[in-house]
């Protein structure tokens, strides 16, 4: 324990603390803006992390992830529009509370619950990540391939829409990752004679185009008016007592959040709704849920904030991102030459402890920052959409340009913006593409090493590797499961009719 | 929409598969296992082809449309599809062409002002003030914060 504290002290100085604070503030602001959210925040920040050291850049990104996960609750409570999909469950009780004149109470409860959930997730991460990474040290290419494909398949199958489209998106991500020079033979692939493509597609152009530009295009088409907040919102200190009076709800919801977060592809939306359902079922005031029950706000916010810790666990310990935001953060680390996973744990254990410490500090700071800056966050909601869209677009363009100082990256930005827009309109999820792009090099390298080691006898080799075999059985189950479920539904419908 | 998605996946997979035959494959360690630079993209291309066929079969023969598709159709009725593309893309492409030619100040100023107008802002003074603020703040951030030299414009340089 003392060594962990010493590592945290070594890696988290005043500079990193500044970036955590900036991250939490920016994340909360972006999270509060309808249509933005932590994904947009992390995406827009990635280009600027090139100018920071790896720990500082991760401090900024983790802060944004944590702040963004909480920020959605502000707009959900005040205007009935969740800033992020994660806050959709929070809206069920927070908005009715605001409508009955308890807006300050609703937002304070969301802040306290997010703080508790985040800290809980941080503690679990601090305890579990090193143990899981130690276990994963013996993993070879077969296990790495199995885990990477599990992550990708889970996210593709559990994304909104059909499994087939999710898998298509993941395969497209894997394909885009092959553009450029082949790492084994040096052969140029899909570069079409364009020199800028020999080094591969720029991660920032792909990311910002897919998520931010396509979101701006969707926003331009929506007719949602800018919010008008007239009520004065203040942090209500009496809500802190709910930490004692409703401790079971806080603890249970946080635990659900962490457990759900660890499973690739499930994420904060599912954890919040699951936690809400359980909290409602166990509450003596069931009837109040959906009409402004404080327990509902606590359950959803504690769960979705704890999910952030759970989602980081597989990325830091196994090198497999648990959700798209974490995949983006992993991409940011890879740019710095830091490859998360068991090997990173072995060679850079103090740095890993520093990162875990950053997460815990960020989670802890959410409460004082929320307390002090709540009125500022509320005012942000009143910014006209035209100014916001223009500012974000400018940030997208110049952030992308700043990465390599190449005009070609801006052209790629528009190409991926169009691709993201077309995918959204076609109901094809974007997250599997990003995860496929990040995991692509790991998948290809593991597959080719495995082919060499196994001498072509792939399945025979797997029988001697139980962990890898389990991974492949799980992948098959995830692929066949939805088909069987569909067949069962069709039969049930036929019987009924 | 599912038919279009299936067709695109099928076409993309086939296109990628054909393109892999053009790779110039050299001798290396990767070849010892029989996995040269083209095999992995071919595996993914095959996956894309199979998924495209599955989606087409599901949509055409089994008449199954995804839940997302139905939800999108409902939400699209509240928004103007294509409107965002029509408004943003010409501006974005125009900016990208103008950026190296006329330089940061002129291209960014014009882009920001046009974007504000296109997104519904009609108060000229506010547009002008915001444009100046954005152009100057971004210049200071990138030039002095990140030490990035922004283009001055080829036109002005050639005239000088």
């Amino acid at each position: 324990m003392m060594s962990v504290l010493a590592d945290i002290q070594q890696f988290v100085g005043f500079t990193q603390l500044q970036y955590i604070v900036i991250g939490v503030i920016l994340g909360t602001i972006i999270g509060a803006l309808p249509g933005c959210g932590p994904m947009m925040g992390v995406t827009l920040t990635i280009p600027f992390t090139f100018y920071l050291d790896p720990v500082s850049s991760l401090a900024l990104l983790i802060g944004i992830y944590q702040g963004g996960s909480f920020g959605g609750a502000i707009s959900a409570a005040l205007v009935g529009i969740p800033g992020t999909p994660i806050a959709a469950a929070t809206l069920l009780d927070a908005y009715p509370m605001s409508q009955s004149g308890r807006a300050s109470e609703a937002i304070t409860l969301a802040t306290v619950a997010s703080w508790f959930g985040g800290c809980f997730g941080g503690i679990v991460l601090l305890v579990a990540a090193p143990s899981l990474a130690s276990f994963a040290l013996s993993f070879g290419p077969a296990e790495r391939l199995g885990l990477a494909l599990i992550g990708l398949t889970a996210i593709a199958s559990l994304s909104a829409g059909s499994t087939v489209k999710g898998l298509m998106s993941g395969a497209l991500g894997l394909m885009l990752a092959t553009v450029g020079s082949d790492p084994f033979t040096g052969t140029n692939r899909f570069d079409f004679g364009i020199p800028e493509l020999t080094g591969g597609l720029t991660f920032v152009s792909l990311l910002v185009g897919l998520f931010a530009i396509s979101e701006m295009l969707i926003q331009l088409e929506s007719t949602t008016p800018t919010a008008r907040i007239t009520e004065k919102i203040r942090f209500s200190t009496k809500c802190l007592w709910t930490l004692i009076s409703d401790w079971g709800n806080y603890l249970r919801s946080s635990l659900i959040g962490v457990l759900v977060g660890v499973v690739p592809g499930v994420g904060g939306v599912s954890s919040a709704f699951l936690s809400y359902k359980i909290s409602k079922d166990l509450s003596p005031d069931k009837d109040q849920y959906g009409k402004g029950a404080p327990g509902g706000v606590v359950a959803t916010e504690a769960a979705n904030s704890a999910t952030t810790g759970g989602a980081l666990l597989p990325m830091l310990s196994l090198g497999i991102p648990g959700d798209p935001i974490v995949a983006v953060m992993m991409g940011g680390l890879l740019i710095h030459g830091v490859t998360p996973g068991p090997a990173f744990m072995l060679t850079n254990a103090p740095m890993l402890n520093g990162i875990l410490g950053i997460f815990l500090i960020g989670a802890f700071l959410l409460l004082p920052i929320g307390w002090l800056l709540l009125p500022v966050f509320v005012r942000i909601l009143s910014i006209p959409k035209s100014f916001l869209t223009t500012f974000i677009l400018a940030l997208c363009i110049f952030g992308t340009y700043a990465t390599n100082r190449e005009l070609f990256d801006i052209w790629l930005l528009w190409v991926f913006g169009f691709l993201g827009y077309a995918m959204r309109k076609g109901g094809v999820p974007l997250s599997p593409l990003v995860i496929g792009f990040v995991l692509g090099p790991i998948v290809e390298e593991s597959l080719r090493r495995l082919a060499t080691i196994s001498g072509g006898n792939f399945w025979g080799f797997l029988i001697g590797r139980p962990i890898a075999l389990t991974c492949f059985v799980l992948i098959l189950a995830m692929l066949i499961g939805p088909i069987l479920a569909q067949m069962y539904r069709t039969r049930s419908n036929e019987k009924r009719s | 929409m599912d038919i279009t998605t299936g067709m695109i996946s099928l076409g993309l997979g086939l296109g990628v598969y054909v393109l892999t035959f053009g790779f110039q494959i050299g001798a290396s360690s990767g070849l010892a296992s029989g996995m040269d630079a083209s095999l992995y993209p071919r595996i993914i291309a095959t996956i894309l082809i199979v998924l495209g066929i599955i989606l087409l079969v599901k949509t055409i023969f089994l008449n199954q449309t995804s839940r997302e598709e139905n939800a999108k159709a409902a939400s699209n009725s509240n928004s103007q599809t294509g409107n965002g593309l029509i408004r943003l893309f010409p501006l974005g492409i125009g900016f990208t062409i103008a950026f190296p030619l006329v330089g940061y100040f002129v291209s960014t100023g014009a882009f920001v002002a046009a974007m504000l107008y296109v997104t519904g802002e009609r108060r000229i003074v506010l547009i002008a003030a915001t444009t100046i603020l954005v152009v100057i703040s971004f210049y200071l951030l990138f030039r002095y914060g990140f030490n990035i030299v922004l283009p001055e414009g080829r036109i002005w340089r050639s005239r000088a």
Side-chain angles (χ1 to χ4, degrees), chain A residues 458-485:
Chain A
F458 183 74
W459 295 108
F461 182 79
L462 276 186
I463 289 170
R465 316 279 304 189
I467 296 171
L469 193 64
T470 312
C471 289
F472 284 98
V473 169
L474 278 173
I475 292 165
L476 277 178
M478 277 189 276
L479 292 175
I480 297 168
I483 300 169
L484 294 177

Side-chain angles (χ1 to χ4, degrees), chain B residues 84-113:
Chain B
L85 268 184
I86 295 163
R87 287 198 280 172
L88 174 63
F89 263 68
L91 281 179
I93 289 166
F95 166 80
T96 316
I97 294 168
F99 188 50
L101 290 176
V102 296
Y104 168 81
F105 287 103
V106 178
S107 61
T108 309
F111 177 74
V112 170

Side-chain angles (χ1 to χ4, degrees), chain A residues 48 51 160-165 167-168 171-172 174-175 178 182 184-185 187-190 192 213 216-223 384-387 389-391 393-395 397-399 401-403 405 407 410-411 414-415 417-418 421-422 424-428 439-441 443-444 447-448 451-452 486 489-490, chain B residues 1-2 5-6 9 12 16 19-20 23-26 28-30 33 35-37 40-41 43-45 47-48 51-52 54-55 58 64 66-69 72 76 78-85 87-89 92-93 95-97 99-100 104 108 111-112 115-116 119 121 126 130 138 142 146-151:
Chain A
F48 303 101
Y51 300 89
S162 77
T163 306
V164 176
K165 287 182 184 176
L167 291 171
M168 267 179 191
L172 185 60
L174 291 174
M175 177 60 69
T178 64
D182 169 35
F184 281 74
T185 62
T187 308
N188 284 341
R189 300 187 291 194
F190 311 114
F192 306 102
I213 297 287
M216 287 302 106
L217 287 167
I218 302 283
Q219 289 287 319
L220 282 172
E221 289 173 1
S222 96
T223 47
K385 216 165 86 175
S386 55
F387 289 87
T389 310
T390 307
F391 181 77
L393 273 172
L395 210 55
I397 294 169
F398 292 108
Y401 179 75
T403 312
R405 301 164 200 205
L407 194 68
I410 304 182
W411 284 113
W414 300 121
V415 171
F418 178 76
Y421 176 81
R424 280 172 193 254
K425 288 287 171 185
V428 183
L439 292 179
V443 171
E444 182 173 13
L447 187 68
R448 289 169 83 165
T452 311
Q486 176 72 41
R489 270 199 300 270
T490 315
Chain B
M1 190 59 95
D2 277 0
T5 311
S9 180
L12 188 69
V16 166
L19 279 173
T20 58
F23 290 168
Q24 292 176 338
I25 299 151
S28 79
S29 58
S33 61
M35 282 203 73
D36 58 45
Y40 176 70
I43 294 171
I44 304 168
I47 294 171
L48 280 170
L51 291 171
I54 292 174
L55 195 61
K58 268 178 77 176
Q64 286 173 8
S66 63
R67 283 166 285 149
E68 182 75 0
E69 179 83 0
K72 284 274 165 195
N76 282 349
N78 298 327
S79 64
Q80 299 150 298
T81 301
N83 191 7
L85 268 184
R87 287 198 280 172
L88 174 63
F89 263 68
I93 289 166
F95 166 80
T96 316
I97 294 168
F99 188 50
Y104 168 81
T108 309
F111 177 74
V112 170
M115 264 314 295
L116 284 167
T119 48
E121 184 55 59
L126 212 56
T130 311
F138 270 66
F142 284 91
F146 300 115
N147 209 16
I148 295 170
V149 180
L150 294 160

Side-chain angles (χ1 to χ4, degrees), chain A residues 70-159:
Chain A
F70 152 69
I74 297 174
S75 50
L78 292 180
V79 289
I81 303 167
T84 67
I86 304 169
T90 310
L91 182 140
L92 296 173
D93 280 296
Y95 190 52
M97 280 178 86
S98 293
Q99 283 180 314
S100 58
R102 292 152 66 203
S104 294
E105 190 188 338
I107 294 182
T108 310
L109 274 176
T111 314
V112 176
S114 293
W115 169 79
F116 186 88
C119 290
F120 186 88
I123 292 166
V124 172
L125 192 63
L126 197 64
V127 174
S131 321
L132 195 59
S134 307
F135 168 69
L137 273 173
S138 59
F139 286 6
E143 287 80 11
R144 277 202 297 275
L145 178 67
L147 279 173
L149 290 179
I150 276 196
L152 191 58
T153 317
I155 285 161
S157 351
L158 296 169
S159 302

Side-chain angles (χ1 to χ4, degrees), chain A residues 301-326:
Chain A
E301 280 303 303
N304 72 36
S305 291
T307 306
T308 55
L312 276 170
L313 186 61
M315 189 266 266
L316 290 174
S317 52
L318 305 174
I320 306 298
D323 78 9
I325 306 172
V326 175

Side-chain angles (χ1 to χ4, degrees), chain A residues 303-456:
Chain A
N304 72 36
S305 291
T307 306
T308 55
L312 276 170
L313 186 61
M315 189 266 266
L316 290 174
S317 52
L318 305 174
I320 306 298
D323 78 9
I325 306 172
V326 175
V328 173
M329 288 162 75
M330 184 171 155
L333 278 178
L334 290 173
I335 291 166
H336 281 285
V338 176
T339 311
F344 172 69
M345 159 75 193
L346 186 70
T347 52
N348 283 300
M351 193 174 166
L352 179 75
N353 287 333
I355 292 169
L356 300 175
I358 283 170
F359 186 91
L360 203 54
I361 293 167
F364 186 78
L365 286 174
L366 195 66
L367 188 64
I369 288 173
W371 190 327
L372 293 170
L373 298 179
L374 196 55
V376 180
F377 297 144
V378 172
R379 281 189 76 96
I380 297 287
L381 283 173
S382 310
I383 296 176
K385 216 165 86 175
S386 55
F387 289 87
L388 212 58
T389 310
T390 307
F391 181 77
I392 292 176
L393 273 172
L395 210 55
C396 290
I397 294 169
F398 292 108
T400 304
Y401 179 75
T403 312
N404 292 321
R405 301 164 200 205
E406 289 277 359
L407 194 68
F408 184 74
D409 288 342
I410 304 182
W411 284 113
L412 279 182
L413 178 79
W414 300 121
V415 171
F416 286 115
F418 178 76
L419 178 69
Y421 176 81
M423 285 173 73
R424 280 172 193 254
K425 288 287 171 185
V428 183
L430 300 178
S431 309
L433 192 155
V434 174
I435 293 184
F437 188 78
V438 172
L439 292 179
I442 300 170
V443 171
E444 182 173 13
E445 191 198 327
S446 306
L447 187 68
R448 289 169 83 165
R449 284 197 197 286
L450 182 62
T452 311
I453 297 168
S454 66

